[in-house]
Amino acid sequence: MAKKSKHKGLYSLFVILVAVALAFFVLMEISARCSKPFLPTWDEVFAFFTPDEEPAVPLSDDWEMHVIDVGNADSILFTNRKQSVLIDAGERGDGQKVLDYLQEQNVTRLDYVIATHFHADHIGGMTDVINGIAIDKFLLSYMAEEDTPTTKTYLNMLTALAQKDIEVVEVTPRDSFQIGDMVLTVLAPLDLTDDMNNQSVVCRITCDEVNFLLMGDAEVPSEELILQSGQNIAADVIKLGHHGSSTSSHKAFIQKVNPTYSVMTCGEGNSYGHPHAETLALVEELGLENYRSDTHGHIIFTTDGKTVSVGTEK
């Protein structure tokens, strides 16, 4: 019996030593994060034992435009601090890729999502996005009832919006939305048409003194209506309409925009021949600094509201 008691005493001593060692380790870890070493406040102790509820989000004052590489499709993200806007969500099968990209950027919710129009290369991944991340408001183009799509992709998107009880807004020209320090102004569509490309939501995003113009798949007829409307379309960066197609981006319109940078969303070796030679020639003639998702991958424009810098994946 005495021998058993001795072992029990040694075990108890071992437990006490381990507990003291762990307590010392925890104290050292807390102390390393304290304003006063070895004198933690209750808030500092609580913060040590309480995990963050969400990933840390950079609190940079800069604005960023992320042109996500989704092949011959569109998906564009704007961020500023914790405010964010997603414009389109790629083709069918791209939804998870878009969600993964948002996660990489520490985007845990979207203030606004815009479906520029209802072709599959713009809303194909939208149902996955709607189901995969919190969204405050969903903006889409207005259309005549007889021209409303009946595709499975479109109907699935509407079903997901209803199930998530997300507020849906049909935008009209000159609608304006304040998103953090960004101002998003809708420029088009200006007329009802059964041509879905020309029903694209065209928007201008203002970040202090720097402006971005997002054309969706708008073509020459929409561009001409925008010019006739007299709206301010000046921009430092333009996302060219319809993947650099020759049916968009006519010279008078681009000259009025007077951008420094242009962007083309196109897939490598796509069957449409995007971007077309005519558009590439115009971009070169006008001396624009052009970026293409097929050759540059993800493209990120960063601005402090005064100057613009560009980074690419490739």
Side-chain angles (χ1 to χ4, degrees), residues 261-288:
Y261 305 93
S262 57
V263 184
M264 299 171 171
T265 52
C266 42
E268 188 174 358
N270 67 85
S271 60
Y272 304 99
H274 295 153
H276 290 164
E278 297 94 324
T279 309
L280 290 171
L282 177 62
V283 163
E284 184 175 357
E285 178 189 342
L286 296 178
L288 306 186

Side-chain angles (χ1 to χ4, degrees), residues 90-130:
E91 181 62 89
R92 285 185 291 268
D94 288 331
Q96 189 57 53
K97 183 175 183 178
V98 173
L99 287 170
D100 290 344
Y101 190 88
L102 296 179
Q103 185 176 30
E104 289 170 12
Q105 303 306 315
N106 291 323
V107 175
T108 58
R109 58 179 290 280
L110 294 165
D111 295 271
Y112 287 86
V113 172
I114 302 174
T116 58
H117 63 297
F118 307 129
H119 281 153
D121 58 330
H122 291 253
I123 65 165
M126 199 63 84
T127 298
D128 288 338
V129 170
I130 293 166

Side-chain angles (χ1 to χ4, degrees), residues 117-264:
H117 63 297
F118 307 129
H119 281 153
D121 58 330
H122 291 253
I123 65 165
M126 199 63 84
T127 298
D128 288 338
V129 170
I130 293 166
N131 287 327
I133 192 169
I135 298 170
D136 285 355
K137 286 186 175 65
F138 195 92
L139 310 183
L140 45 75
S141 173
Y142 68 93
M143 294 197 74
E145 187 174 347
E146 61 270 20
D147 296 324
T148 301
T150 57
T151 64
K152 185 177 180 181
T153 300
Y154 176 74
L155 296 176
N156 285 345
M157 181 184 76
L158 293 186
T159 299
L161 287 167
Q163 290 174 341
K164 292 290 184 177
D165 196 25
I166 296 170
E167 181 181 352
V168 177
V169 180
E170 287 189 323
V171 297
T172 57
R174 295 183 174 83
D175 283 350
S176 185
F177 302 89
Q178 184 81 37
I179 308 158
D181 296 326
M182 296 179 278
V183 179
L184 186 153
T185 304
V186 176
L187 307 181
L190 285 155
D191 193 18
L192 286 174
T193 173
D194 59 0
D195 183 336
M196 203 175 293
N197 284 344
N198 285 310
Q199 283 298 116
S200 287
V201 175
V202 175
C203 59
R204 184 172 182 260
I205 294 180
T206 299
C207 306
D208 197 2
E209 298 176 12
V210 174
N211 294 281
F212 299 83
L213 186 62
L214 294 307
M215 297 300 299
D217 273 1
E219 299 181 318
V220 172
S222 181
E223 293 173 356
E224 289 178 341
L225 287 173
I226 293 171
L227 285 178
Q228 292 167 18
S229 73
Q231 298 178 92
N232 185 359
I233 61 173
D236 302 273
V237 181
I238 182 171
K239 199 290 292 185
L240 296 173
H242 204 193
H243 316 285
S245 167
S246 60
T247 58
S248 302
S249 307
H250 74 291
K251 185 174 181 179
F253 184 81
I254 304 301
Q255 286 177 317
K256 187 69 173 179
V257 176
N258 192 28
T260 301
Y261 305 93
S262 57
V263 184
M264 299 171 171

